[in-house]
Amino acid sequence: MKRILSIALFLMGAAGFAAAQITTPTTDVLGAHLNYGRGCAACHAPHSGAYGNGVAKTADTGSGNIALWGEDVGSLYGQTIITGKSEHGSYSETLPSSLTAGTPDVAGVLMCLSCHDGNLASGAMMQNKVYETLPATYGTANNIPTLLGSDKGTAGNYLNDHPVGLNATMGCGGPYDWDCTIDASGNVLMTGAASSRFVTNYGFFVSPGKYQNKPVVMCTTCHNQHLMNVVSVTQGTIDPVTKLVTAGKTGLPSGSYATMFFIRAPYNPASTTAGSNQTAQFCRQCHGGESNEMAGSTAGTTF
């Protein structure tokens, strides 16, 4: 009887993970960044940078020199924006003065804002509406804005957005943080008792930038601009005794998982599973103080 029960529980768990996975996405993974059919060339101009993308005059004299970037970012150079507030206060980010600045906020923030700012950089073809079909639980707010500096509120207000930039550092050991450590190169090591358990239960998929040997939050920390609706997961090695991941960044079974909004981890608010907490788990990768593990709960991840 015990053997039958164990097999039944295993099959139920396997079925749950299978339901969370997408083996064959039915739409192009580039999603909204197909830009009405223009595809990769909407952001990356194979010739002549922003000029090659139809910009007649640009203040960005280095346009296209990095990543063949085809959007005019000249109006953003050296601008200071005050990004979102947190328990630590608000954050000041002075954008790089060129695409060759060499800091992580070039590709991690500046390039993103060339399309997603709407205030200082308003020339890109953004419609300021969400591309994806939203779950019914989102209510009637179907036009979720996609611009940081012009989001139907006060023009130039960035405080209602998540902090990003070279001053938006990630920490360990504080009242709001994980029991993790940061090594000399700025890597976040989820090796504490609670943080390592979280990696087994969900994972650590975020990609912080590194500045002055500290991990910093970029737009690309949470978002993978090339994959809108799916994320490929590779399970790490799980210790047979402790059941913790000893190599790799997740204990989830390998496979393709549903995501939304270009989030770089399993994230599916459209899940119909009662008690699904995967979207909360994504945020807890950095906000460890609000996690099950740090609060002493044994809850894992429910898809």
Side-chain angles (χ1 to χ4, degrees), residues 86-159:
S86 74
E87 59 271 8
H88 303 294
S90 58
Y91 295 80
S92 173
E93 158 70 1
T94 299
L95 295 167
S97 57
S98 75
L99 286 175
T100 58
T103 50
D105 52 349
V106 172
V109 178
L110 181 69
M111 288 181 174
C112 302
L113 289 182
S114 63
C115 289
H116 286 276
D117 174 69
N119 173 41
L120 300 168
S122 58
M125 69 291 290
M126 296 300 303
Q127 297 297 310
N128 204 30
K129 295 181 180 179
V130 70
Y131 179 89
E132 295 157 292
T133 300
L134 298 178
T137 52
Y138 272 59
T140 59
N142 291 323
N143 292 342
I144 295 177
T146 57
L147 303 176
L148 273 71
S150 180
D151 55 5
K152 300 183 180 181
T154 303
N157 176 30
Y158 299 86
L159 286 174

Coordinates of all heavy atoms in Angstrom, one line a residue, residues 86-159:
S86 N 12.2 51.9 -2.7 CA 12.2 50.7 -2.0 C 12.3 51.0 -0.5 O 12.3 52.1 -0.1 CB 13.3 49.7 -2.5 OG 14.5 50.1 -2.0
E87 N 12.5 49.9 0.3 CA 12.7 50.1 1.7 C 14.0 50.9 1.9 O 14.2 51.4 3.0 CB 12.8 48.7 2.4 CG 13.9 47.8 1.9 CD 13.4 46.9 0.8 OE1 12.3 47.2 0.3 OE2 14.1 46.0 0.4
H88 N 14.9 50.9 0.9 CA 16.2 51.6 1.1 C 16.1 53.1 0.6 O 17.1 53.8 0.6 CB 17.3 50.9 0.3 CG 17.4 49.5 0.8 ND1 17.9 49.1 2.0 CD2 17.2 48.3 0.1 CE1 17.9 47.8 2.1 NE2 17.5 47.3 1.0
G89 N 15.0 53.5 0.0 CA 14.8 54.8 -0.5 C 14.8 54.8 -2.0 O 14.5 53.8 -2.6
S90 N 14.9 56.0 -2.7 CA 14.9 56.0 -4.1 C 16.3 55.9 -4.7 O 17.3 56.1 -3.9 CB 14.2 57.3 -4.6 OG 14.9 58.4 -4.1
Y91 N 16.5 55.7 -6.0 CA 17.8 55.4 -6.6 C 18.0 56.4 -7.7 O 17.2 56.6 -8.6 CB 17.8 54.0 -7.1 CG 17.7 53.0 -6.0 CD1 16.5 52.6 -5.4 CD2 18.9 52.4 -5.5 CE1 16.4 51.7 -4.4 CE2 18.8 51.4 -4.4 CZ 17.5 51.1 -3.9 OH 17.5 50.2 -2.9
S92 N 19.2 56.9 -7.7 CA 19.6 57.8 -8.8 C 20.5 57.1 -9.8 O 21.4 56.4 -9.4 CB 20.4 59.0 -8.2 OG 21.0 59.8 -9.3
E93 N 20.1 57.2 -11.1 CA 20.9 56.6 -12.1 C 21.3 57.6 -13.2 O 20.4 58.2 -13.8 CB 20.1 55.4 -12.8 CG 20.5 55.0 -14.2 CD 21.9 54.3 -14.3 OE1 22.5 54.1 -13.2 OE2 22.3 54.0 -15.4
T94 N 22.6 57.9 -13.3 CA 23.0 58.7 -14.4 C 23.4 57.8 -15.6 O 24.4 57.0 -15.4 CB 24.2 59.6 -13.9 OG1 23.8 60.4 -12.9 CG2 24.8 60.4 -15.1
L95 N 22.7 57.9 -16.6 CA 22.9 57.1 -17.8 C 24.3 57.3 -18.4 O 24.9 58.4 -18.3 CB 21.8 57.3 -18.8 CG 20.4 56.9 -18.3 CD1 19.4 57.5 -19.3 CD2 20.3 55.4 -18.2
P96 N 24.8 56.3 -19.1 CA 26.2 56.4 -19.7 C 26.2 57.5 -20.7 O 25.2 57.9 -21.3 CB 26.4 55.0 -20.3 CG 25.5 54.1 -19.6 CD 24.3 54.9 -19.2
S97 N 27.4 58.0 -21.0 CA 27.5 59.1 -21.9 C 27.8 58.6 -23.3 O 27.9 59.4 -24.3 CB 28.7 60.1 -21.5 OG 29.9 59.3 -21.3
S98 N 28.0 57.3 -23.5 CA 28.2 56.7 -24.8 C 27.9 55.2 -24.7 O 27.8 54.7 -23.7 CB 29.6 57.0 -25.3 OG 30.5 56.1 -24.7
L99 N 27.7 54.6 -25.9 CA 27.5 53.2 -26.0 C 28.8 52.4 -25.7 O 28.8 51.2 -25.5 CB 27.0 52.8 -27.4 CG 25.6 53.2 -27.7 CD1 25.2 52.8 -29.1 CD2 24.6 52.4 -26.7
T100 N 29.9 53.1 -25.6 CA 31.2 52.5 -25.4 C 31.7 52.7 -24.0 O 32.9 52.5 -23.7 CB 32.3 53.0 -26.4 OG1 32.4 54.4 -26.3 CG2 31.9 52.6 -27.8
A101 N 30.8 53.1 -23.1 CA 31.2 53.5 -21.7 C 31.7 52.2 -20.9 O 32.5 52.4 -20.0 CB 30.0 54.0 -20.9
G102 N 31.3 51.1 -21.3 CA 31.8 49.8 -20.7 C 31.2 49.5 -19.4 O 31.6 48.5 -18.7
T103 N 30.1 50.2 -18.9 CA 29.4 49.8 -17.7 C 28.2 49.0 -18.1 O 27.7 49.1 -19.2 CB 29.0 51.1 -17.0 OG1 28.3 52.0 -17.9 CG2 30.2 51.8 -16.4
P104 N 27.7 48.2 -17.1 CA 26.6 47.3 -17.4 C 25.3 48.0 -17.8 O 24.4 47.3 -18.4 CB 26.5 46.4 -16.1 CG 27.1 47.3 -15.1 CD 28.2 48.0 -15.7
D105 N 25.2 49.2 -17.4 CA 23.9 49.9 -17.7 C 23.8 50.4 -19.2 O 22.8 51.0 -19.6 CB 23.7 51.1 -16.8 CG 24.8 52.1 -16.7 OD1 25.9 51.7 -17.2 OD2 24.7 53.2 -16.1
V106 N 24.9 50.1 -20.0 CA 24.8 50.4 -21.4 C 23.8 49.5 -22.1 O 22.8 49.9 -22.6 CB 26.2 50.3 -22.1 CG1 26.0 50.4 -23.6 CG2 27.1 51.3 -21.6
A107 N 24.1 48.2 -22.0 CA 23.1 47.2 -22.6 C 22.0 46.9 -21.6 O 20.9 46.4 -22.0 CB 23.9 45.9 -22.9
G108 N 22.2 47.1 -20.3 CA 21.2 46.7 -19.3 C 20.1 47.7 -19.0 O 19.1 47.4 -18.5
V109 N 20.4 49.0 -19.4 CA 19.4 50.0 -19.1 C 19.3 51.0 -20.3 O 18.2 51.2 -20.9 CB 19.7 50.9 -17.9 CG1 18.7 52.0 -17.7 CG2 19.8 50.0 -16.6
L110 N 20.4 51.6 -20.8 CA 20.4 52.6 -21.8 C 19.7 52.1 -23.1 O 18.8 52.8 -23.6 CB 21.8 53.0 -22.1 CG 22.0 54.1 -23.2 CD1 21.4 55.4 -22.7 CD2 23.4 54.3 -23.5
M111 N 20.1 50.9 -23.6 CA 19.5 50.4 -24.8 C 18.1 50.1 -24.7 O 17.3 50.3 -25.6 CB 20.3 49.2 -25.3 CG 21.7 49.4 -25.8 SD 22.5 47.9 -26.3 CE 24.0 48.6 -27.1
C112 N 17.7 49.6 -23.5 CA 16.3 49.4 -23.2 C 15.4 50.6 -23.3 O 14.3 50.7 -23.9 CB 16.1 48.7 -21.9 SG 17.0 47.2 -21.7
L113 N 16.0 51.7 -22.7 CA 15.2 53.0 -22.7 C 15.1 53.6 -24.0 O 14.2 54.5 -24.2 CB 15.9 53.9 -21.7 CG 15.7 53.6 -20.2 CD1 16.4 54.6 -19.3 CD2 14.3 53.4 -19.8
S114 N 15.9 53.3 -25.0 CA 15.8 53.9 -26.3 C 14.5 53.6 -26.9 O 14.0 54.4 -27.8 CB 16.9 53.4 -27.2 OG 16.9 52.0 -27.4
C115 N 13.8 52.5 -26.5 CA 12.4 52.2 -26.9 C 11.4 52.3 -25.8 O 10.3 52.6 -26.0 CB 12.4 50.8 -27.4 SG 13.1 50.5 -29.0
H116 N 11.9 52.1 -24.5 CA 10.9 52.0 -23.4 C 11.0 53.2 -22.5 O 10.5 53.1 -21.3 CB 11.2 50.7 -22.6 CG 10.8 49.5 -23.3 ND1 9.5 49.0 -23.2 CD2 11.5 48.6 -24.1 CE1 9.4 47.9 -23.9 NE2 10.6 47.6 -24.4
D117 N 11.5 54.4 -22.9 CA 11.5 55.5 -22.0 C 10.2 56.4 -22.3 O 9.5 56.6 -21.4 CB 12.8 56.4 -22.3 CG 12.7 57.7 -21.5 OD1 12.9 57.6 -20.3 OD2 12.6 58.7 -22.2
G118 N 10.1 56.9 -23.5 CA 8.9 57.7 -23.8 C 8.9 59.1 -23.3 O 8.0 59.9 -23.6
N119 N 9.9 59.5 -22.6 CA 10.0 60.8 -22.0 C 11.2 61.5 -22.6 O 11.1 62.5 -23.4 CB 10.2 60.8 -20.5 CG 10.5 62.1 -19.9 OD1 9.9 63.1 -20.3 ND2 11.4 62.2 -18.9
L120 N 12.4 61.1 -22.3 CA 13.7 61.7 -22.9 C 13.9 61.1 -24.3 O 14.4 61.8 -25.1 CB 14.9 61.3 -22.0 CG 14.8 61.8 -20.6 CD1 15.8 61.2 -19.7 CD2 14.9 63.4 -20.5
A121 N 13.5 59.9 -24.5 CA 13.6 59.3 -25.9 C 12.3 58.8 -26.3 O 11.7 57.9 -25.8 CB 14.6 58.0 -25.8
S122 N 11.7 59.6 -27.2 CA 10.3 59.4 -27.6 C 10.1 59.0 -29.1 O 9.0 58.9 -29.6 CB 9.5 60.6 -27.3 OG 10.0 61.8 -28.0
G123 N 11.2 58.7 -29.8 CA 11.2 58.5 -31.2 C 10.9 57.1 -31.6 O 10.5 56.8 -32.8
A124 N 11.0 56.1 -30.7 CA 10.9 54.7 -31.1 C 9.4 54.4 -31.3 O 8.5 55.2 -30.9 CB 11.5 53.8 -30.0
M125 N 9.1 53.2 -31.8 CA 7.7 52.9 -32.3 C 6.9 52.2 -31.2 O 6.0 51.5 -31.5 CB 7.8 52.0 -33.5 CG 8.3 50.6 -33.3 SD 10.1 50.5 -32.9 CE 10.8 50.9 -34.5
M126 N 7.1 52.5 -29.9 CA 6.3 51.9 -28.9 C 4.9 52.4 -28.9 O 4.7 53.6 -29.1 CB 7.0 52.1 -27.5 CG 8.4 51.5 -27.3 SD 8.4 49.7 -27.5 CE 7.2 49.3 -26.3
Q127 N 4.0 51.5 -28.6 CA 2.5 51.9 -28.5 C 2.1 52.0 -27.1 O 0.9 52.4 -26.8 CB 1.7 50.8 -29.2 CG 2.0 50.7 -30.7 CD 1.6 52.0 -31.5 OE1 0.6 52.5 -31.3 NE2 2.6 52.4 -32.3
N128 N 3.0 51.7 -26.1 CA 2.6 51.8 -24.7 C 1.5 50.9 -24.3 O 0.6 51.3 -23.5 CB 2.4 53.2 -24.3 CG 2.7 53.4 -22.8 OD1 3.5 52.8 -22.2 ND2 2.0 54.4 -22.2
K129 N 1.4 49.7 -24.9 CA 0.4 48.8 -24.5 C 1.0 47.4 -24.4 O 2.0 47.1 -25.1 CB -0.8 48.7 -25.5 CG -1.6 50.0 -25.6 CD -2.7 49.9 -26.6 CE -3.5 51.1 -26.8 NZ -4.6 51.0 -27.8
V130 N 0.5 46.6 -23.5 CA 1.0 45.2 -23.4 C 0.6 44.4 -24.7 O -0.5 44.6 -25.2 CB 0.5 44.5 -22.1 CG1 -1.0 44.2 -22.2 CG2 1.3 43.3 -21.8
Y131 N 1.5 43.6 -25.1 CA 1.3 42.8 -26.3 C 0.6 41.5 -26.0 O -0.2 41.0 -26.8 CB 2.7 42.5 -26.9 CG 2.7 41.6 -28.2 CD1 2.6 42.2 -29.5 CD2 2.8 40.3 -28.1 CE1 2.6 41.5 -30.6 CE2 2.9 39.5 -29.3 CZ 2.8 40.1 -30.5 OH 2.8 39.3 -31.7
E132 N 0.8 40.9 -24.9 CA 0.3 39.6 -24.6 C -1.1 39.6 -24.1 O -1.6 40.7 -23.6 CB 1.2 39.0 -23.5 CG 2.6 38.7 -23.9 CD 3.6 38.6 -22.8 OE1 3.8 39.7 -22.1 OE2 4.1 37.5 -22.5
T133 N -1.8 38.5 -24.3 CA -3.2 38.4 -23.7 C -3.1 38.2 -22.2 O -2.4 37.2 -21.8 CB -3.9 37.2 -24.4 OG1 -3.9 37.4 -25.8 CG2 -5.3 37.0 -23.8
L134 N -3.7 39.1 -21.5 CA -3.5 39.0 -20.0 C -4.5 38.1 -19.4 O -5.6 37.9 -19.9 CB -3.8 40.4 -19.5 CG -2.7 41.5 -19.9 CD1 -3.1 42.8 -19.3 CD2 -1.3 41.1 -19.5
P135 N -4.2 37.5 -18.3 CA -5.1 36.6 -17.5 C -6.3 37.4 -17.0 O -6.2 38.6 -16.8 CB -4.3 36.1 -16.4 CG -2.8 36.3 -16.8 CD -2.8 37.5 -17.7
A136 N -7.4 36.7 -16.9 CA -8.6 37.4 -16.4 C -8.4 38.0 -15.0 O -9.1 39.0 -14.7 CB -9.8 36.4 -16.4
T137 N -7.5 37.4 -14.2 CA -7.2 37.9 -12.9 C -6.6 39.4 -12.9 O -6.6 40.0 -11.9 CB -6.3 37.0 -12.1 OG1 -5.1 36.8 -13.0 CG2 -7.0 35.7 -11.9
Y138 N -6.2 39.8 -14.1 CA -5.6 41.2 -14.2 C -6.8 42.2 -14.2 O -6.5 43.4 -14.3 CB -4.7 41.3 -15.4 CG -3.3 40.9 -15.1 CD1 -3.0 39.7 -14.6 CD2 -2.3 41.8 -15.3 CE1 -1.7 39.3 -14.4 CE2 -0.9 41.5 -15.1 CZ -0.7 40.2 -14.6 OH 0.6 39.9 -14.3
G139 N -8.0 41.8 -14.3 CA -9.1 42.8 -14.4 C -9.2 43.4 -15.7 O -9.0 42.8 -16.8
T140 N -9.6 44.7 -15.7 CA -9.8 45.4 -17.0 C -8.7 46.3 -17.4 O -8.8 47.0 -18.4 CB -11.1 46.3 -16.8 OG1 -10.8 47.2 -15.8 CG2 -12.3 45.5 -16.5
A141 N -7.6 46.2 -16.7 CA -6.4 47.1 -17.1 C -5.6 46.4 -18.2 O -4.5 45.9 -18.0 CB -5.5 47.3 -15.9
N142 N -6.2 46.4 -19.4 CA -5.6 45.7 -20.5 C -4.5 46.5 -21.2 O -3.8 45.9 -22.0 CB -6.7 45.3 -21.5 CG -7.6 44.2 -21.0 OD1 -7.1 43.3 -20.2 ND2 -8.9 44.3 -21.3
N143 N -4.4 47.7 -21.0 CA -3.4 48.6 -21.6 C -2.3 48.9 -20.6 O -2.1 50.0 -20.3 CB -4.0 49.8 -22.1 CG -4.9 49.6 -23.3 OD1 -4.9 48.5 -23.9 ND2 -5.8 50.5 -23.6
I144 N -1.7 47.8 -20.1 CA -0.6 48.1 -19.1 C 0.5 48.8 -19.9 O 1.0 48.4 -20.9 CB 0.0 46.7 -18.6 CG1 -1.1 46.0 -17.8 CG2 1.2 46.9 -17.8 CD1 -0.7 44.7 -17.3
P145 N 1.0 50.0 -19.3 CA 2.0 50.8 -20.1 C 3.3 50.1 -20.1 O 3.7 49.4 -19.2 CB 2.0 52.1 -19.3 CG 1.5 51.7 -17.9 CD 0.5 50.6 -18.1
T146 N 4.0 50.4 -21.1 CA 5.4 49.8 -21.3 C 6.5 50.8 -21.3 O 7.6 50.5 -21.5 CB 5.4 49.0 -22.6 OG1 5.1 49.9 -23.7 CG2 4.4 47.9 -22.7
L147 N 6.1 52.1 -21.1 CA 7.1 53.1 -21.1 C 7.4 53.6 -19.6 O 6.5 53.8 -18.8 CB 6.7 54.3 -21.9 CG 6.3 54.1 -23.3 CD1 5.8 55.3 -24.0 CD2 7.5 53.5 -24.1
L148 N 8.7 53.7 -19.3 CA 9.0 54.1 -17.9 C 8.8 55.6 -17.6 O 8.3 55.9 -16.6 CB 10.5 53.8 -17.6 CG 10.8 52.3 -17.2 CD1 10.6 51.4 -18.3 CD2 12.2 52.2 -16.6
G149 N 9.2 56.5 -18.5 CA 9.1 57.9 -18.3 C 7.8 58.6 -18.8 O 7.6 59.8 -18.6
S150 N 6.9 57.8 -19.4 CA 5.6 58.3 -19.9 C 4.6 57.2 -19.8 O 4.3 56.6 -20.8 CB 5.8 58.9 -21.3 OG 4.6 59.4 -21.8
D151 N 4.1 57.0 -18.6 CA 3.2 55.8 -18.4 C 1.8 56.2 -18.0 O 1.2 55.6 -17.2 CB 3.8 54.9 -17.4 CG 4.1 55.6 -16.1 OD1 3.8 56.8 -15.9 OD2 4.7 55.0 -15.2
K152 N 1.3 57.3 -18.6 CA 0.0 57.8 -18.3 C -0.1 58.5 -17.0 O -1.2 58.9 -16.6 CB -1.1 56.7 -18.4 CG -1.2 56.1 -19.8 CD -2.3 55.0 -19.9 CE -2.3 54.4 -21.3 NZ -3.4 53.4 -21.5
G153 N 1.0 58.6 -16.3 CA 1.0 59.4 -15.0 C 1.7 60.7 -15.3 O 1.5 61.3 -16.4
T154 N 2.5 61.2 -14.4 CA 3.2 62.5 -14.6 C 4.4 62.2 -15.5 O 5.2 61.3 -15.3 CB 3.7 63.1 -13.3 OG1 2.6 63.2 -12.4 CG2 4.4 64.4 -13.5
A155 N 4.5 63.0 -16.6 CA 5.6 62.8 -17.5 C 7.0 63.0 -16.8 O 7.1 63.9 -16.0 CB 5.5 63.9 -18.6
G156 N 7.9 62.1 -17.0 CA 9.2 62.1 -16.4 C 9.2 61.5 -15.0 O 10.3 61.5 -14.4
N157 N 8.1 60.9 -14.6 CA 8.1 60.2 -13.3 C 8.6 58.7 -13.5 O 8.0 57.9 -14.1 CB 6.7 60.2 -12.7 CG 6.7 59.4 -11.4 OD1 7.7 59.3 -10.7 ND2 5.5 58.8 -11.1
Y158 N 9.8 58.4 -12.9 CA 10.3 57.1 -12.9 C 10.2 56.4 -11.5 O 10.6 55.2 -11.4 CB 11.8 57.1 -13.3 CG 12.0 57.7 -14.7 CD1 12.2 59.0 -14.9 CD2 12.1 56.9 -15.8 CE1 12.4 59.6 -16.1 CE2 12.3 57.4 -17.1 CZ 12.5 58.8 -17.2 OH 12.7 59.3 -18.5
L159 N 9.6 57.1 -10.6 CA 9.5 56.5 -9.2 C 8.6 55.4 -9.1 O 8.6 54.6 -8.1 CB 9.2 57.6 -8.2 CG 10.2 58.7 -7.9 CD1 9.7 59.7 -7.0 CD2 11.4 58.0 -7.2

